[in-house]
Amino acid sequence: MPAITPQPHTQPDTDHGAVTAAPTLRTGTLGTADIAFFVVSAAAPLTVMAGVAPIAIALGGIGAPVGYLLAGLTLAVFAVGFTTMSRHIRSAGAFYAYITRGLGRSVGIGAALLAMVGYNGMEIGVYGLLGSSTQDTVHALSGVDIPWLPVSLAGLVLIWYGGFRSIDFGAKLLGVLLCAETGILVLLAGGVLLKGGAHGLSAASFAPGNVFVPGTAAVLAFAFAAFTGFESTVIYRREARDPARTVRRATYIAVAFLGLFYAFVVWTVIQAFGDAGVVAAAGSDPAGLFFSAITTFVGGWAADLMHILIVTSVLASLLAFHNAINRYGLALAGEGVLPKVFGTVHARHRSPYVAGIAQTVLGAVVVLAFRAAGADPYAQLLLWVNTPGMIGLMALQLLAAVAVPFYFRRITHQEGVLRTVVAPVVATVLLGVAIVLVCTHLDLFTGASSLVNTVLAAVAPTVFVLGLALAWRLRRTRPVVFERFAAEPAEPAGPAGSPDADADADAGAGTGVVPA
């Protein structure tokens, strides 16, 4: 049995005495656009812009758009080595498989545990945002106050169902929701540009004197957080139509779109208030900045629509993260690290539905626990659960960047030094700086005390250390599981002459070597 994903296995058919194959994920389903929808939806562009960008403007001034460009450029550099490595690795384990191939099984197992905690943190906390944003939307549209808990629990059921259905169903749904949330931002930008902004259009946001200011570090911290989840393209490799090309294209499209789109939208909102007035407006009413701008330049109806689309933006983000978590659970069940039942795939929908049920139950437990403690759905459930997840995923990006040159030193390949050494080393330095920026500005993300922030920052390294301890235990008590961890699937990923087959040929026999 291959090490990563549960493969078809035979079992008797009690009605006919025949032998049938257990269902697996639906292969050859997702195109470049589908995977890009999953990744961009996870970032929740409308929620990030309307909810977070005003704070970045208030802290960093009119140079804030450049912060998003710099974050996008950093992640594009990271993507160079990351996607080059994806041509040689067919494993469904995504981050942890890449880290294992470069840095060894023990580090890879630590990364696997960190990935599960990180992605779960990124999703489960957002159920608090779903409750609070729906509260705000209903109040804004009708003046009625509703409790947040029923909304969050209903969201859990809805997201479970979305993950239970086939992956193409999820891709189509996310495509619609993503087009809607980006569409309202384009509408806002169009209204501002057509009317020439508050006092005419200005390029002062891109002047060095407005970019290199004390608040830039805070802007960069928010900007890097806005890209969280973009690397999940490789999780869908098994379900992609043309894995070697589709994953790479989707990754670059996602990074380029988010970086350029974020910077453009933030710049247009600055134009809506003018260079001289936007910082004061963002500081006095950050939550209302985008709604005020779209009311002025498009109309009140558009502000009402934006309220509704923020809720659908949050739902899209939840579904994207839910699908990613399910596939990590499936992969780790195939490894033997998680119980085998988590590797069960639905016969009709070909979805990892048992992993989806487990993730939904975990989410419900956390949501109910925070409610029982009287916690605020936004300030505590969202921020306290989301922040460790964000740090964990950034740490995984850093480890993956470090792993790239080590991996290519061990195999025979024809990739250039720019892709295999230079870009990963540069990405390592830049991502290290990004993590420091985020961790030193946690108070801006959480609004919590220094003690709470210290605990939140300590979650990711603690989980990683626990993963190393798990690796040590597996090596001693279950050596077979340890030795086959993140091994390449035995079967070819595609027919001879296909992009995957060509990539495997380029990699040579060395791809099967995993350092301990």
Side-chain angles (χ1 to χ4, degrees):
M1 178 177 176
I4 304 302
T5 55
Q7 303 299 317
H9 62 275
T10 60
Q11 59 185 19
D13 186 320
T14 55
D15 292 332
H16 304 92
V19 174
T20 60
T24 60
L25 293 178
R26 196 187 302 275
T27 58
T29 300
L30 302 177
T32 299
D34 298 322
I35 297 177
F37 284 148
F38 276 107
V39 173
V40 177
S41 295
L46 177 56
T47 303
V48 164
M49 289 289 93
V52 180
I55 303 174
I57 294 171
L59 295 172
I62 63 173
V66 177
Y68 290 92
L69 290 176
L70 292 175
L73 181 61
T74 296
L75 295 175
V77 173
F78 164 75
V80 171
F82 187 62
T83 57
T84 300
M85 201 167 172
S86 75
R87 286 165 42 89
H88 300 260
I89 294 180
R90 301 193 310 269
S91 169
F95 261 149
Y96 79 72
Y98 287 58
I99 293 167
T100 300
R101 311 302 288 177
L103 301 180
R105 296 184 184 90
S106 295
V107 178
I109 292 171
L113 188 60
L114 184 57
M116 287 298 292
V117 172
Y119 276 103
N120 272 287
M122 288 302 300
E123 187 200 19
I124 293 172
V126 176
Y127 284 109
L129 178 60
L130 176 63
S132 63
S133 61
T134 304
Q135 271 186 326
D136 294 342
T137 295
V138 173
H139 182 80
L141 299 181
S142 66
V144 176
D145 292 319
I146 63 172
W148 67 269
L149 181 61
V151 175
S152 296
L153 295 178
L156 278 157
V157 175
L158 185 62
I159 297 305
W160 162 79
Y161 180 73
F164 172 73
R165 291 291 302 271
S166 61
I167 191 68
D168 51 333
F169 169 84
K172 291 181 176 65
L173 178 60
L174 288 179
V176 172
L177 296 179
L178 181 61
C179 288
E181 66 175 297
T182 54
I184 195 70
L185 290 171
V186 170
L187 183 65
L188 166 61
V192 173
L193 295 178
L194 287 175
K195 296 182 180 180
H199 310 293
L201 302 180
S202 165
S205 290
F206 306 98
N210 292 321
V211 173
F212 299 104
V213 296
T216 299
V219 174
L220 286 171
F222 282 110
F224 277 105
F227 286 81
T228 304
F230 90 93
E231 72 295 322
S232 60
T233 49
V234 295
I235 295 174
Y236 301 101
R237 180 183 178 89
R238 289 282 176 186
E239 294 155 288
R241 294 188 194 126
D242 185 355
R245 293 193 177 98
T246 301
V247 169
R248 185 166 65 251
R249 290 172 180 169
T251 303
Y252 283 121
I253 288 171
V255 173
F257 173 80
L258 289 173
L260 295 173
F261 189 67
Y262 285 154
F264 171 67
V265 171
V266 173
W267 175 77
T268 57
V269 167
I270 291 172
Q271 306 314 301
F273 293 89
D275 293 341
V278 69
V279 174
S284 62
D285 184 20
L289 190 74
F290 272 67
F291 296 102
S292 176
I294 202 168
T295 299
T296 300
F297 288 92
V298 181
W301 65 270
D304 292 342
L305 181 58
M306 180 177 281
H307 274 292
I308 295 171
L309 292 178
I310 282 181
V311 176
T312 63
S313 170
V314 174
L315 287 170
S317 177
L318 284 166
L319 180 58
F321 275 115
H322 181 74
N323 278 311
I325 294 165
N326 292 350
R327 279 149 185 80
Y328 261 113
L330 178 72
L332 287 171
E335 302 281 9
V337 175
L338 289 180
K340 186 177 180 181
V341 67
F342 289 109
T344 307
V345 175
H346 194 271
R348 178 183 176 188
H349 299 302
R350 309 286 285 277
S351 61
Y353 75 103
V354 175
I357 293 172
Q359 202 284 325
T360 301
V361 170
L362 175 62
V365 169
V366 174
V367 168
L368 290 171
F370 270 78
R371 178 62 184 86
D376 182 84
Y378 182 90
Q380 292 166 317
L381 175 53
L382 170 67
L383 298 180
W384 290 14
V385 177
N386 227 211
T387 298
M390 174 185 66
I391 295 172
L393 295 190
M394 293 183 73
L396 288 170
Q397 291 172 1
L398 178 64
L399 287 172
V402 173
V404 174
F406 285 98
Y407 170 74
F408 282 106
R409 285 183 60 187
R410 294 189 175 99
I411 69 167
T412 301
H413 64 89
Q414 297 177 352
E415 307 288 357
V417 68
L418 180 64
R419 289 178 172 272
T420 60
V421 179
V422 177
V425 169
V426 172
T428 298
V429 174
L430 295 177
L431 287 169
V433 171
I435 292 173
V436 171
L437 287 174
V438 168
C439 290
T440 53
H441 291 83
L442 277 189
D443 57 317
L444 300 178
F445 288 93
T446 67
S449 66
S450 58
L451 175 61
V452 171
N453 289 330
T454 300
V455 172
L456 296 179
V459 170
T462 300
V463 168
F464 182 70
V465 170
L466 290 174
L468 295 178
L470 173 62
W472 177 81
R473 181 176 176 81
L474 287 174
R475 189 169 193 170
R476 293 193 51 169
T477 62
R478 302 173 66 192
V480 173
V481 171
F482 180 83
E483 290 299 325
R484 73 180 188 178
F485 186 81
E488 285 292 273
E491 81 285 358
S498 72
D500 261 7
D502 293 342
D504 296 336
D506 289 342
T511 54
V513 177
V514 182

PDB file of all heavy atoms in Angstrom, residues 425-444:
ATOM      1  N   VAL A 425      16.713  30.398  -1.210  1.00  0.00           N
ATOM      2  CA  VAL A 425      17.493  31.072  -0.163  1.00  0.00           C
ATOM      3  C   VAL A 425      16.947  32.479   0.079  1.00  0.00           C
ATOM      4  O   VAL A 425      16.777  32.919   1.229  1.00  0.00           O
ATOM      5  CB  VAL A 425      18.987  31.121  -0.540  1.00  0.00           C
ATOM      6  CG1 VAL A 425      19.747  32.049   0.408  1.00  0.00           C
ATOM      7  CG2 VAL A 425      19.587  29.725  -0.502  1.00  0.00           C
ATOM      8  N   VAL A 426      16.663  33.201  -1.006  1.00  0.00           N
ATOM      9  CA  VAL A 426      16.083  34.545  -0.864  1.00  0.00           C
ATOM     10  C   VAL A 426      14.732  34.456  -0.158  1.00  0.00           C
ATOM     11  O   VAL A 426      14.425  35.254   0.736  1.00  0.00           O
ATOM     12  CB  VAL A 426      15.931  35.213  -2.245  1.00  0.00           C
ATOM     13  CG1 VAL A 426      15.160  36.522  -2.125  1.00  0.00           C
ATOM     14  CG2 VAL A 426      17.301  35.468  -2.858  1.00  0.00           C
ATOM     15  N   ALA A 427      13.911  33.470  -0.553  1.00  0.00           N
ATOM     16  CA  ALA A 427      12.598  33.295   0.073  1.00  0.00           C
ATOM     17  C   ALA A 427      12.731  32.987   1.562  1.00  0.00           C
ATOM     18  O   ALA A 427      11.939  33.468   2.382  1.00  0.00           O
ATOM     19  CB  ALA A 427      11.822  32.184  -0.629  1.00  0.00           C
ATOM     20  N   THR A 428      13.738  32.198   1.927  1.00  0.00           N
ATOM     21  CA  THR A 428      13.961  31.865   3.336  1.00  0.00           C
ATOM     22  C   THR A 428      14.222  33.118   4.162  1.00  0.00           C
ATOM     23  O   THR A 428      13.650  33.304   5.244  1.00  0.00           O
ATOM     24  CB  THR A 428      15.151  30.892   3.470  1.00  0.00           C
ATOM     25  OG1 THR A 428      14.852  29.678   2.777  1.00  0.00           O
ATOM     26  CG2 THR A 428      15.434  30.586   4.938  1.00  0.00           C
ATOM     27  N   VAL A 429      15.077  33.984   3.648  1.00  0.00           N
ATOM     28  CA  VAL A 429      15.392  35.225   4.361  1.00  0.00           C
ATOM     29  C   VAL A 429      14.149  36.102   4.481  1.00  0.00           C
ATOM     30  O   VAL A 429      13.816  36.616   5.559  1.00  0.00           O
ATOM     31  CB  VAL A 429      16.520  35.982   3.644  1.00  0.00           C
ATOM     32  CG1 VAL A 429      16.750  37.347   4.294  1.00  0.00           C
ATOM     33  CG2 VAL A 429      17.807  35.162   3.659  1.00  0.00           C
ATOM     34  N   LEU A 430      13.429  36.284   3.368  1.00  0.00           N
ATOM     35  CA  LEU A 430      12.259  37.161   3.364  1.00  0.00           C
ATOM     36  C   LEU A 430      11.139  36.619   4.247  1.00  0.00           C
ATOM     37  O   LEU A 430      10.473  37.382   4.962  1.00  0.00           O
ATOM     38  CB  LEU A 430      11.761  37.352   1.931  1.00  0.00           C
ATOM     39  CG  LEU A 430      12.716  38.094   0.986  1.00  0.00           C
ATOM     40  CD1 LEU A 430      12.141  38.143  -0.427  1.00  0.00           C
ATOM     41  CD2 LEU A 430      12.978  39.508   1.485  1.00  0.00           C
ATOM     42  N   LEU A 431      10.918  35.314   4.194  1.00  0.00           N
ATOM     43  CA  LEU A 431       9.869  34.719   5.033  1.00  0.00           C
ATOM     44  C   LEU A 431      10.248  34.788   6.513  1.00  0.00           C
ATOM     45  O   LEU A 431       9.380  34.969   7.381  1.00  0.00           O
ATOM     46  CB  LEU A 431       9.624  33.274   4.619  1.00  0.00           C
ATOM     47  CG  LEU A 431       8.881  33.095   3.292  1.00  0.00           C
ATOM     48  CD1 LEU A 431       8.934  31.639   2.841  1.00  0.00           C
ATOM     49  CD2 LEU A 431       7.426  33.544   3.421  1.00  0.00           C
ATOM     50  N   GLY A 432      11.539  34.643   6.804  1.00  0.00           N
ATOM     51  CA  GLY A 432      11.989  34.795   8.182  1.00  0.00           C
ATOM     52  C   GLY A 432      11.699  36.197   8.705  1.00  0.00           C
ATOM     53  O   GLY A 432      11.224  36.380   9.838  1.00  0.00           O
ATOM     54  N   VAL A 433      11.961  37.192   7.859  1.00  0.00           N
ATOM     55  CA  VAL A 433      11.655  38.579   8.235  1.00  0.00           C
ATOM     56  C   VAL A 433      10.153  38.751   8.440  1.00  0.00           C
ATOM     57  O   VAL A 433       9.706  39.412   9.393  1.00  0.00           O
ATOM     58  CB  VAL A 433      12.170  39.556   7.153  1.00  0.00           C
ATOM     59  CG1 VAL A 433      11.666  40.974   7.425  1.00  0.00           C
ATOM     60  CG2 VAL A 433      13.692  39.529   7.092  1.00  0.00           C
ATOM     61  N   ALA A 434       9.349  38.132   7.554  1.00  0.00           N
ATOM     62  CA  ALA A 434       7.893  38.250   7.658  1.00  0.00           C
ATOM     63  C   ALA A 434       7.379  37.670   8.971  1.00  0.00           C
ATOM     64  O   ALA A 434       6.512  38.258   9.630  1.00  0.00           O
ATOM     65  CB  ALA A 434       7.230  37.552   6.474  1.00  0.00           C
ATOM     66  N   ILE A 435       7.908  36.526   9.368  1.00  0.00           N
ATOM     67  CA  ILE A 435       7.469  35.898  10.620  1.00  0.00           C
ATOM     68  C   ILE A 435       7.831  36.780  11.809  1.00  0.00           C
ATOM     69  O   ILE A 435       7.034  36.947  12.748  1.00  0.00           O
ATOM     70  CB  ILE A 435       8.085  34.497  10.763  1.00  0.00           C
ATOM     71  CG1 ILE A 435       7.490  33.555   9.706  1.00  0.00           C
ATOM     72  CG2 ILE A 435       7.845  33.937  12.165  1.00  0.00           C
ATOM     73  CD1 ILE A 435       8.151  32.200   9.651  1.00  0.00           C
ATOM     74  N   VAL A 436       9.018  37.366  11.780  1.00  0.00           N
ATOM     75  CA  VAL A 436       9.423  38.274  12.862  1.00  0.00           C
ATOM     76  C   VAL A 436       8.486  39.475  12.917  1.00  0.00           C
ATOM     77  O   VAL A 436       8.054  39.896  14.004  1.00  0.00           O
ATOM     78  CB  VAL A 436      10.880  38.730  12.661  1.00  0.00           C
ATOM     79  CG1 VAL A 436      11.232  39.843  13.652  1.00  0.00           C
ATOM     80  CG2 VAL A 436      11.831  37.557  12.836  1.00  0.00           C
ATOM     81  N   LEU A 437       8.137  40.022  11.750  1.00  0.00           N
ATOM     82  CA  LEU A 437       7.234  41.170  11.718  1.00  0.00           C
ATOM     83  C   LEU A 437       5.876  40.820  12.328  1.00  0.00           C
ATOM     84  O   LEU A 437       5.312  41.590  13.105  1.00  0.00           O
ATOM     85  CB  LEU A 437       7.044  41.655  10.283  1.00  0.00           C
ATOM     86  CG  LEU A 437       8.218  42.403   9.645  1.00  0.00           C
ATOM     87  CD1 LEU A 437       7.931  42.685   8.179  1.00  0.00           C
ATOM     88  CD2 LEU A 437       8.483  43.704  10.390  1.00  0.00           C
ATOM     89  N   VAL A 438       5.358  39.659  11.957  1.00  0.00           N
ATOM     90  CA  VAL A 438       4.055  39.253  12.475  1.00  0.00           C
ATOM     91  C   VAL A 438       4.121  39.044  13.988  1.00  0.00           C
ATOM     92  O   VAL A 438       3.265  39.524  14.743  1.00  0.00           O
ATOM     93  CB  VAL A 438       3.563  37.980  11.760  1.00  0.00           C
ATOM     94  CG1 VAL A 438       2.359  37.386  12.480  1.00  0.00           C
ATOM     95  CG2 VAL A 438       3.204  38.293  10.310  1.00  0.00           C
ATOM     96  N   CYS A 439       5.135  38.322  14.432  1.00  0.00           N
ATOM     97  CA  CYS A 439       5.222  37.995  15.866  1.00  0.00           C
ATOM     98  C   CYS A 439       5.485  39.217  16.730  1.00  0.00           C
ATOM     99  O   CYS A 439       5.057  39.258  17.891  1.00  0.00           O
ATOM    100  CB  CYS A 439       6.310  36.941  16.092  1.00  0.00           C
ATOM    101  SG  CYS A 439       5.882  35.303  15.441  1.00  0.00           S
ATOM    102  N   THR A 440       6.170  40.207  16.193  1.00  0.00           N
ATOM    103  CA  THR A 440       6.439  41.414  16.972  1.00  0.00           C
ATOM    104  C   THR A 440       5.292  42.421  16.899  1.00  0.00           C
ATOM    105  O   THR A 440       5.335  43.459  17.578  1.00  0.00           O
ATOM    106  CB  THR A 440       7.738  42.094  16.496  1.00  0.00           C
ATOM    107  OG1 THR A 440       7.674  42.318  15.081  1.00  0.00           O
ATOM    108  CG2 THR A 440       8.938  41.236  16.827  1.00  0.00           C
ATOM    109  N   HIS A 441       4.296  42.139  16.071  1.00  0.00           N
ATOM    110  CA  HIS A 441       3.133  43.029  15.968  1.00  0.00           C
ATOM    111  C   HIS A 441       1.837  42.269  16.268  1.00  0.00           C
ATOM    112  O   HIS A 441       0.766  42.641  15.793  1.00  0.00           O
ATOM    113  CB  HIS A 441       3.044  43.653  14.577  1.00  0.00           C
ATOM    114  CG  HIS A 441       4.134  44.645  14.293  1.00  0.00           C
ATOM    115  ND1 HIS A 441       5.386  44.275  13.858  1.00  0.00           N
ATOM    116  CD2 HIS A 441       4.161  46.007  14.397  1.00  0.00           C
ATOM    117  CE1 HIS A 441       6.131  45.351  13.692  1.00  0.00           C
ATOM    118  NE2 HIS A 441       5.416  46.411  14.013  1.00  0.00           N
ATOM    119  N   LEU A 442       1.942  41.225  17.083  1.00  0.00           N
ATOM    120  CA  LEU A 442       0.745  40.440  17.396  1.00  0.00           C
ATOM    121  C   LEU A 442      -0.330  41.268  18.083  1.00  0.00           C
ATOM    122  O   LEU A 442      -1.526  40.984  17.947  1.00  0.00           O
ATOM    123  CB  LEU A 442       1.111  39.242  18.277  1.00  0.00           C
ATOM    124  CG  LEU A 442       1.645  37.990  17.577  1.00  0.00           C
ATOM    125  CD1 LEU A 442       1.734  36.847  18.567  1.00  0.00           C
ATOM    126  CD2 LEU A 442       0.772  37.601  16.398  1.00  0.00           C
ATOM    127  N   ASP A 443       0.079  42.289  18.829  1.00  0.00           N
ATOM    128  CA  ASP A 443      -0.921  43.112  19.510  1.00  0.00           C
ATOM    129  C   ASP A 443      -1.856  43.792  18.521  1.00  0.00           C
ATOM    130  O   ASP A 443      -3.032  44.037  18.821  1.00  0.00           O
ATOM    131  CB  ASP A 443      -0.228  44.157  20.387  1.00  0.00           C
ATOM    132  CG  ASP A 443       0.735  45.037  19.594  1.00  0.00           C
ATOM    133  OD1 ASP A 443       1.478  44.499  18.758  1.00  0.00           O
ATOM    134  OD2 ASP A 443       0.734  46.258  19.825  1.00  0.00           O
ATOM    135  N   LEU A 444      -1.351  44.076  17.303  1.00  0.00           N
ATOM    136  CA  LEU A 444      -2.198  44.682  16.283  1.00  0.00           C
ATOM    137  C   LEU A 444      -3.221  43.691  15.740  1.00  0.00           C
ATOM    138  O   LEU A 444      -4.315  44.071  15.334  1.00  0.00           O
ATOM    139  CB  LEU A 444      -1.338  45.214  15.128  1.00  0.00           C
ATOM    140  CG  LEU A 444      -0.302  46.275  15.487  1.00  0.00           C
ATOM    141  CD1 LEU A 444       0.493  46.671  14.270  1.00  0.00           C
ATOM    142  CD2 LEU A 444      -0.981  47.498  16.107  1.00  0.00           C
TER     143      LEU A 444
END
